[in-house]
Amino acid sequence: MTTVNPAGWPLVRLGDYVKVVAGPAFKSAEFVEGEEHVRLLRGDNVIQGRLRWDGVKRWAGDVQERYHLQEDDVVIAMDRPWIEAGLKWAWIQKQDLPAYLVQRVARLRATEGLDQKFLRYVIASPDFTAYIKPIVTGATVPHISGGQIEAHRFPVPPLPTQRKIAAILSAYDDLIENNTRRVRVLEEMARALYREWFVEFRFPGHEQAEFVEDEQGRRPKGWVVQTVAQTFSILGGATPSKAEPEFWEGGDINWYTPSDITKSGRVYQDESQALITFKGLSRSSATLFPAYSVMMTSRATIGAIGINTTPATVNQGFIVGLPNERFPLQVMRQWFAANVEQFIGLASGATFKEISKSTFKAINVVVPPAELVHRFEAAAATWGRAVENLERRNANLRRTRDLLLPRLVSGELDVSALNVRGPGLETEDEQTREEAVA
């Protein structure tokens, strides 16, 4: 007798509809450089619900067709599948292709009777995460197997219902991706303008500018070379004692760790995962700094950058720059981003690399004339506000989607009477979409 859930949907094994395929091993000595070569999707590239391609490895040789990834493939990291933010899974989008599957990454493609996009939300559901988390084994390298993935049991509705559920949830994902593309464009505009004016020195009026060259390098005459310490203030961070509950319980002060920055995929940070109390702040060496400072991770992963939108503090893994009139927020943020390789080169440490505050303070900064700085800041600040709004909108969309997802894939919310057409909902209005399934 087939077991059914409260919605009357049969409970089935994932392996009844999906064959898990893992990729082959690729020799690191044969990795190649150049965007014309195909990306290799490794476990390090898989984050919770998304892919991260920085540091990607590439391949120039032939690879069997079965390891070629396709749009809408679902992938799960089989080694270290669990991170602080959740399960390491994602789905392949058009902009991720071409790409090849690598060893110890699972690829899931639905067979007849299971909609591929519905499969995406089965894997994204809290039930699947709750199933995977306790079965991860291995002291050195925590891992899961393809057989364990296939053994997961879940309720499967009729195909028309699967497609309706997938259409509702993918409508949110489509909006998120559209906003994300807009963010990428705005970010590239700011980077390109900074590079054009302050790195290539093709700023307005550069044709008439005089240039000087000395031990600090070539630069326009009148541009000042000075140290970070002479240009802007920096701060470090600290961790209040975890042995003191009153430092943490009921806290309302944002206290960022590097994982807040690296796992969020956002520039503008509204809230940290952990919050501390005023007592925790006052009885530790943590320092509260103003909103719209530049937070850069300074150890292990060096150079991940975030901007806090509220007064905040950080742990020891950061250098925080405080913008000022002469070196304002967007100029500072782009200067940090443009010099990450230099920061990494100056880092030291046996266990993990770290750039110290004293080393950072001694770095030279070429400071352009105030009028040019303010012209750049005016343009980049407009783009920055747009990025902040888009990122916040995406956070709200994700929250709504994540609230709906478990109720939809379990059948708690009945969609049978909902008129859903095409790949998304009938209406393009975000509010109507949310109300339609509330």
Side-chain angles (χ1 to χ4, degrees), residues 80-94:
R80 299 182 179 87
W82 179 261
I83 56 177
E84 185 180 347
L87 183 70
K88 290 173 64 177
W89 78 279
W91 75 94
I92 305 300
Q93 300 180 62
K94 189 177 295 184

Side-chain angles (χ1 to χ4, degrees), residues 396-415:
N396 291 333
L397 287 166
R398 288 190 179 96
R399 254 190 306 272
T400 305
R401 179 202 60 194
D402 292 346
L403 286 170
L404 287 171
L405 192 153
R407 300 175 67 192
L408 288 168
V409 299
S410 67
E412 181 185 345
L413 280 178
D414 182 10
V415 299

Side-chain angles (χ1 to χ4, degrees), residues 60-82:
D62 294 330
V63 174
Q64 291 183 39
E65 186 72 27
R66 69 194 302 254
Y67 303 125
H68 291 213
L69 289 162
Q70 299 176 7
E71 189 174 357
D72 287 328
D73 279 346
V74 175
V75 291
I76 302 172
M78 299 171 75
D79 288 344
R80 299 182 179 87
W82 179 261

